[in-house]
Amino acid sequence: MEKSKRTAAPTVQLRTGARHPFGMLDGYVPLGSGEHRIYRAIREAVPVVDAAVMKLIRLTGGFSVRCGVPRAERQLAQFLRTVDVGRGQRGIGAFLDGYLDSMITCGRAVGEIVVRGRKEIAAVLCGNVEDVQVREGKTPLDLTLCAVSERGVLEPLPYQELLLFTPFHPEADAPYGVSLLRSMPFLTDILLKIYNTIGVNWERAGNVRFAVVYKPQGDILDRAYAKERAEQIAASWSEAMRSTKNGSVRDFVAVGDVDIRVIGAEGQVLDSEVPVRQILEQLIARTGIPPFMLGLNWSSTERMSAQQADLMTSELTAIRRTLDPVIERICELWLHLHGYACDFTVEWDDINLQDAVEEARAALYQAQAERARAETAALRRAARTEAAAPGEETEKPEAEEEAAAGTETPEIQAPLPAENKEERE
């Protein structure tokens, strides 16, 4: 009698390798190029760009999954809240944050679903795009992810159905996605040069260099001892400067025509406000985020208009559409492993980009309008009470009066017939 064989749980497939023999293999597209390190350096060097990427990740928001079976929906929601995503984090939200960060910065993202005994999803991990390569087939549908094995050879990963791969804004010449920071290296280089120059100028202003010029007079004795006097002045000046560094104040006294000037004091410092603003405008325009959301107050009336809110909402909706296939694959695998064949839909949270000040002002106007209506109704009731007859003790409520006014009709006496009138006479 044959015993049923148990398949061991697959180990983590994404490994870091030191060698990438691309030249020996055909059909491989290297994804771990040096441009990824350039994009990481841009985010590290320019805080505005890093803040813009983090804003996009935060504004993408959360989601919920709706199933046709209530029990499956509750269990799936519990799984999405508590699934292990590695590095001490739990929940599908933490996984999507890292996944989206890699997708925006590097132009693509890779992940892995780790299954325990083909009965439960143990973890959902986000991988490094530099550790994975793509092998193309004859058609665009034939795509295989490869990585460096334990032997140091680039081989296809064994469980392709458990791998996640998402390109960001794929193009015809870049089918595996492009980074959001692709157009920023040139402008970032200029911006860093400007900031570096500003730092050098301020360092020079804080550490002043002096030029001491001694001009001999016209007499013969002064010209004969010009060298000795210049050396004496230089020694005295150096001693005075050393005393200043030690915290003591020492005067410098010289005889004759001695001119002391600050080196570079007459040089004009270039205005950096205009070029820096122009470069930052270009960088921020690529992210699609309004400048005031990043702390840049370039106008006296900074607020998000309706057009900007619509554009921002469309950008976030496009990012959500890119993440939908990843979420659907994870949820579909979990439902199949637990024996559910029901359909499900991914519902994202509503995007709210309205100005909090405007919302508070609208609420204030609404409260003022309700108060004005209440005061008007009270004045009308008081006027009716004063105009009522003296013998009338109570006043009918306003609603009853309006109902009575709408239902009561005046009594009209119909004329009597002629024959009845004659009989009465």
Side-chain angles (χ1 to χ4, degrees):
M1 182 177 181
E2 296 182 358
K3 296 182 179 179
S4 59
K5 298 181 180 179
R6 295 183 180 180
T7 304
T11 58
V12 177
Q13 306 175 60
L14 305 180
R15 297 186 180 90
T16 302
R19 296 191 302 169
H20 301 275
F22 300 121
M24 301 175 59
L25 303 173
D26 295 330
Y28 286 92
V29 179
L31 302 182
S33 57
E35 62 182 8
H36 299 157
R37 291 187 291 271
I38 295 177
Y39 299 148
R40 295 291 182 186
I42 290 175
R43 291 187 55 180
E44 186 177 352
V46 185
V48 174
V49 176
D50 186 61
V53 175
M54 297 304 297
K55 289 286 185 183
L56 288 176
I57 296 174
R58 294 293 183 267
L59 291 175
T60 303
F63 67 94
S64 59
V65 181
R66 303 299 180 187
C67 300
V69 180
R71 180 180 178 183
E73 181 177 340
R74 291 192 302 268
Q75 294 180 358
L76 181 58
Q78 179 69 16
F79 162 75
L80 294 176
R81 282 195 307 268
T82 60
V83 61
D84 189 6
V85 297
R87 297 174 179 86
Q89 298 184 6
R90 301 175 69 87
I92 198 66
F95 166 77
L96 291 180
D97 289 346
Y99 196 83
L100 184 57
D101 184 276
S102 176
M103 188 173 65
I104 293 176
T105 305
C106 303
R108 58 193 67 89
V110 293
E112 177 184 3
I113 304 175
V114 181
V115 181
R116 183 187 299 114
R118 294 186 178 184
K119 294 183 179 180
E120 184 65 37
I121 296 179
V124 181
L125 305 178
C126 184
N128 188 2
V129 294
E130 297 184 0
D131 300 335
V132 179
Q133 311 302 328
V134 175
R135 186 176 66 184
E136 296 179 337
K138 297 181 180 180
T139 64
L141 301 178
D142 188 7
L143 182 146
T144 304
L145 297 181
C146 305
V148 178
S149 63
E150 297 178 353
R151 300 176 299 172
V153 181
L154 193 65
E155 296 179 351
L157 296 172
Y159 302 96
Q160 295 289 325
E161 67 278 3
L162 299 179
L163 298 178
L164 306 172
F165 179 78
T166 305
F168 184 70
H169 292 173
E171 299 177 354
D173 55 347
Y176 298 107
V178 294
S179 172
L180 182 70
L181 316 180
R182 180 182 56 172
S183 58
M184 294 185 181
F186 174 71
L187 294 176
T188 304
D189 184 32
I190 299 176
L191 182 64
L192 294 180
K193 289 180 180 178
I194 295 175
Y195 281 141
N196 184 46
T197 305
I198 294 175
V200 172
N201 290 334
W202 278 101
E203 183 180 0
R204 177 178 56 82
N207 191 5
V208 182
R209 299 293 189 272
F210 295 94
V212 182
V213 181
Y214 168 65
K215 299 178 181 179
Q217 301 299 323
D219 56 346
I220 299 176
L221 185 61
D222 196 4
R223 292 182 179 179
Y225 294 97
K227 181 178 180 180
E228 289 77 3
R229 290 184 178 180
E231 293 177 354
Q232 185 179 5
I233 292 173
S236 300
W237 181 261
S238 299
E239 188 177 355
M241 291 296 99
R242 285 194 297 269
S243 300
T244 304
K245 291 181 180 180
N246 296 330
S248 61
V249 179
R250 185 169 182 175
D251 298 333
F252 173 74
V253 181
V255 178
D257 190 1
V258 180
D259 186 15
I260 302 175
R261 294 182 180 180
V262 178
I263 299 176
E266 298 178 356
Q268 181 181 3
V269 179
L270 297 178
D271 185 13
S272 61
E273 181 178 359
V274 175
V276 167
R277 176 173 174 176
Q278 291 178 350
I279 295 175
L280 290 179
E281 286 177 352
Q282 297 292 327
L283 297 178
I284 296 174
R286 181 65 183 91
T287 62
I289 296 181
F292 75 93
M293 294 184 65
L294 301 174
L296 301 175
N297 299 320
W298 289 336
S299 177
S300 58
T301 58
E302 288 287 358
R303 58 185 299 272
M304 180 177 288
S305 61
Q307 292 78 11
Q308 288 178 330
D310 293 340
L311 292 175
M312 192 69 191
T313 303
S314 63
E315 184 70 22
L316 296 176
T317 303
I319 295 176
R320 289 179 170 184
R321 287 198 304 266
T322 308
L323 295 176
D324 279 340
V326 177
I327 301 173
E328 291 174 356
R329 284 191 59 184
I330 297 174
C331 296
E332 183 179 1
L333 179 59
W334 185 92
L335 291 174
H336 287 176
L337 291 177
H338 288 77
Y340 293 105
C342 57
D343 297 332
F344 65 93
T345 57
V346 179
E347 296 182 359
W348 290 89
D349 298 339
D350 295 334
I351 300 175
N352 186 10
L353 299 176
Q354 299 298 325
D355 192 356
V357 177
E358 295 298 328
E359 291 182 356
R361 188 176 300 171
L364 176 61
Y365 290 162
Q366 184 177 2
Q368 291 177 351
E370 293 178 355
R371 179 180 178 182
R373 286 194 293 267
E375 292 178 353
T376 303
L379 292 176
R380 288 179 179 177
R381 288 195 297 268
R384 290 193 185 95
T385 303
E386 294 178 357
E392 188 175 359
E393 297 180 356
T394 58
E395 180 186 1
K396 294 182 179 181
E398 184 179 355
E400 295 181 3
E401 291 183 359
E402 293 178 357
T407 56
E408 292 181 359
T409 56
E411 296 181 0
I412 301 176
Q413 186 175 4
L416 296 174
E419 53 183 11
N420 293 339
K421 185 178 182 180
E422 293 177 356
E423 291 179 357
R424 292 175 61 185
E425 293 179 352

